[in-house]
Amino acid sequence: MKNFKPPIVEIKNLTKTYRRGVQVIPVLEEITLDIADGEFLALMGPSGSGKSTLLNIIAGIDKADSGMVTVGGVDISALSEAELAQWRAINVGFIFQFYNLIPVLTAFENVELPLLLTTLSRKERQAHVETALSIVSLLDRVDHYPSQLSGGQQQRVAIARAVVTDPTIIVADEPTGDLDRVSAGDVLGLMARLNREFGKTIIMVTHDPRAAEKAHVIRQLEKGILNNVHS
Amino acid sequence: MFILKLLARNAFRHKLRSILTVIGVAIAVLAFGLLRTLVGLWYLGVESSNASRLVTRNAISIIFTLPISYKDRIRQVPGVKIVSYGNWFGGIYIDEKNFFPNFAVDPKNYLELYPEFVLPPDQKKAVILDRKAAVIGRKLADRFKWKIGDLVTLKGTIFPGQWEFVVRGIYRGAQKNTDETQFFFHWDYLNETLKKTVPRRADQAGFYMIGLTNPDSAADVSVAIDRMFKNSLAETLTETERAFQMSFVSMTEAIVIAIQIVSYVVIIIIMVVAANTMAMTARERIAEYATLKTLGFGARHIAGIVFGESLVISLAGGVVGVIFTFPAALWIETELSQFFPVFNVSSLTVYLDLLAAAVVGTVAAIFPTWRGATIPIAEGLRRIG
């Protein structure tokens, strides 16, 4: 009998448009999508298809024009900016294409950043950061600044930062887009491990079919319309 | 603590740019501080004036004199404790560039009336006994390396001739802002010479200095003195020493206002430069601010980071500027003592310097803060790569 997992992300009739002067450009049209808890989903599609916009809406950093987005039972489309910021800090881990580390902070401090918004003590924060860095095998690089790390290492620090708060979902926007093949393989292996061993729900936007292969489910977006399902 | 660390590291992330901005703010604060001190110097005479002293001069103008016979009559006015008198001498030592103020006074009463000119008793005695004696300020003595017993010749401009004096006293200022560049000598020496050379100019005083028994009686005494000489050939105008000094300041008020405007313009210029630097910095860091917002940091955190960085840079410049203001003021006081006998930087000026630096930092951060705090995250994240 197949195990039923309730969706952690529920999207219903989501629509998003951009305005350029008087012109209205549809980006997402009537998107309906469920993502199960513990799923590793890849969103693919050509440039301009709306996949990053959809990811941003799911992560609470952009707003839809209409429709409903529920993550972990919370209707995030109804939250204010301040509430969304608080919600993101607890529920979402972000992995960006260009790592987005703060250059003047060490690997340790970069990973510690999201924890500064929690009530954890300094000692507790240190324990969390060390755990996160040990998961990405960078405990020996805690005092290194981003400029002293390779691209792959920087992305691993970014992954440690994404998981350090133990978020509900992890969103990744082209996480291997700026990496060489070997580093990309390492990062994808790490993400697969996070999903497999720690049960993390991952939503990844990618152009790279090899990256998408790591996902359980691949959804294609084309001109703002969600097409097929590959499992 | 973490935020402070982030501020400090961010502030000097682009070392050259930050250092140049700090130097710019420091120079502006230094200029502001020196110009403020210069304005303060304008009012030095007013500030150091004494409430229990009056000045009587010719009602028409200070350039007209008063008969010396007025002395005894003024002395009889109730409330008057002591009367001294003098003339602006306007002598030149060797060359005009060696300017210093020099007066013919009645030394005994004058020194009593001005306790801020501190003279050792033996020197005071020597000054009173010698008709050719001169009392000079410590800074003036240092400037020309004059010492007790030296012979000094001044070329008269208002009172033509070569005038010889013997340095018999060197005074020190009782207060930090006492002018120590003045030169006093016996009015009698001037008067006796005039009696022989230009008799019609003899027995005339340029001004009377009056000491009061009670400062509260200043208005009554002034009125009484002026009434006494009403309808005479030389009517008087008596006012407090403060008002007398203010009348000199008001003659040059336009210069003071111009200096004040320049001091504010300097601050406004550096404000624009600092604002440009901060705008540039914020523009470069938009993606970082967006990342921080993505992680859950709010607009007030971003505002704190931008404001904090701007304040760190501008206050660093302010502190450097204040530190350099003191040696600069000392240099001006030493090298340009003929123009600036006292050039003390007051604690108020230091506070204003730091306030100006804080204002520069705050104003410079307004637009970048607004930009960083309000930019949509998705738009900010697109600025990377």
Side-chain angles (χ1 to χ4, degrees), chain B residues 14-283:
Chain B
H14 290 282
K15 284 191 180 62
L16 181 64
R17 187 199 296 169
S18 297
I19 288 170
L20 288 174
T21 310
V22 166
I23 291 172
V25 175
I27 290 170
V29 165
L30 174 68
F32 180 73
L34 294 179
L35 290 171
R36 294 284 319 171
T37 305
L38 187 58
V39 169
L41 189 65
W42 232 269
Y43 292 92
L44 181 67
V46 179
E47 296 300 323
S48 54
S49 58
N50 191 313
S52 62
R53 289 195 294 245
L54 298 178
V55 182
T56 297
R57 61 177 174 89
N58 192 301
I60 299 170
S61 164
I62 185 78
I63 62 166
F64 295 105
T65 55
L66 296 169
I68 196 66
S69 58
Y70 282 16
K71 183 196 160 197
D72 293 333
R73 295 177 66 188
I74 292 171
R75 182 69 189 83
Q76 286 161 16
V77 173
V80 172
K81 184 179 163 193
I82 186 169
V83 180
S84 184
Y85 51 92
N87 281 81
W88 169 256
F89 182 66
I92 292 168
Y93 177 64
I94 302 173
D95 193 274
E96 279 183 14
K97 69 175 189 213
N98 296 327
F99 171 83
F100 52 84
N102 41 79
F103 298 90
V105 297
D106 145 36
K108 189 172 177 294
N109 288 341
Y110 198 82
L111 289 171
E112 197 175 323
L113 204 50
Y114 283 87
E116 54 264 49
F117 299 138
V118 180
L119 199 61
D122 57 323
Q123 291 184 19
K124 193 172 179 180
K125 197 174 169 188
V127 168
I128 292 166
L129 290 175
D130 183 356
R131 277 289 164 93
K132 285 195 165 184
V135 186
I136 61 173
R138 181 184 58 86
K139 284 182 188 163
L140 189 63
D142 290 346
R143 185 176 158 204
F144 295 111
K145 311 260 183 295
W146 288 335
K147 50 190 187 305
I148 300 291
D150 278 1
L151 197 71
V152 176
T153 304
L154 297 186
K155 185 170 73 183
T157 52
I158 302 168
F159 305 99
Q162 296 291 322
W163 299 77
E164 284 189 355
F165 306 97
V166 182
V167 178
R168 294 288 182 208
I170 298 175
Y171 72 84
R172 285 179 176 275
Q175 283 117 35
K176 210 177 169 190
N177 61 354
T178 306
D179 185 355
E180 293 180 333
T181 65
Q182 300 193 50
F183 184 109
F184 303 108
F185 62 92
H186 280 268
W187 183 86
D188 287 345
Y189 174 40
L190 171 70
N191 197 47
E192 282 160 12
T193 311
L194 288 176
K195 274 181 180 168
K196 289 179 204 159
T197 54
V198 200
R200 63 182 170 81
R201 294 184 69 184
D203 295 328
Q204 297 288 314
F207 53 85
Y208 286 96
M209 301 301 304
I210 298 151
L212 300 171
T213 48
N214 178 6
D216 294 339
S217 65
D220 294 339
V221 173
S222 301
V223 170
I225 293 170
D226 292 344
R227 192 185 296 137
M228 187 189 293
F229 300 110
K230 193 139 182 87
N231 299 322
S232 69
L233 281 176
E235 291 191 354
T236 59
L237 173 66
T238 305
E239 54 198 345
T240 59
E241 187 185 17
R242 186 181 180 83
F244 177 72
Q245 296 287 358
M246 267 309 284
S247 67
F248 282 100
V249 173
S250 54
M251 281 181 213
T252 52
E253 203 166 20
I255 299 173
V256 178
I257 291 169
I259 294 171
Q260 275 175 327
I261 290 170
V262 169
S263 73
Y264 293 126
V265 166
V266 166
I267 292 300
I268 290 167
I269 289 170
I270 198 63
M271 209 180 271
V272 173
V273 172
N276 182 49
T277 305
M278 282 314 297
M280 207 188 298
T281 300
R283 197 163 53 240

Side-chain angles (χ1 to χ4, degrees), chain A residues 88 94 100 103-104 109 116, chain B residues 5 9 13 291 293-294:
Chain A
R88 279 196 307 270
F94 292 87
N100 290 31
V104 291
E109 290 162 344
L116 295 173
Chain B
K5 195 158 55 180
R9 289 187 199 165
R13 198 148 138 191
T291 302
K293 286 168 88 170
T294 303

Side-chain angles (χ1 to χ4, degrees), chain B residues 242-377:
Chain B
R242 186 181 180 83
F244 177 72
Q245 296 287 358
M246 267 309 284
S247 67
F248 282 100
V249 173
S250 54
M251 281 181 213
T252 52
E253 203 166 20
I255 299 173
V256 178
I257 291 169
I259 294 171
Q260 275 175 327
I261 290 170
V262 169
S263 73
Y264 293 126
V265 166
V266 166
I267 292 300
I268 290 167
I269 289 170
I270 198 63
M271 209 180 271
V272 173
V273 172
N276 182 49
T277 305
M278 282 314 297
M280 207 188 298
T281 300
R283 197 163 53 240
E284 287 169 3
R285 303 212 185 128
I286 281 294
E288 281 173 36
Y289 301 149
T291 302
L292 288 171
K293 286 168 88 170
T294 303
L295 298 178
F297 288 87
R300 67 188 170 91
H301 292 109
I302 306 301
I305 290 169
V306 183
F307 252 109
E309 186 177 339
S310 184
L311 280 177
V312 165
I313 290 175
S314 57
L315 284 177
V319 169
V320 172
V322 166
I323 289 170
F324 279 94
T325 301
F326 290 97
L330 185 66
W331 181 85
I332 289 170
E333 194 176 281
T334 311
E335 299 297 321
L336 304 172
S337 60
Q338 68 269 40
F339 306 115
F340 309 110
V342 178
F343 209 87
N344 292 326
V345 181
S346 67
S347 49
L348 176 66
T349 299
V350 172
Y351 296 141
L352 284 173
D353 278 353
L354 294 175
L355 179 68
V359 169
V360 167
T362 304
V363 173
I366 289 173
F367 175 73
T369 301
W370 173 79
R371 186 81 182 121
T374 58
I375 190 163
I377 298 174

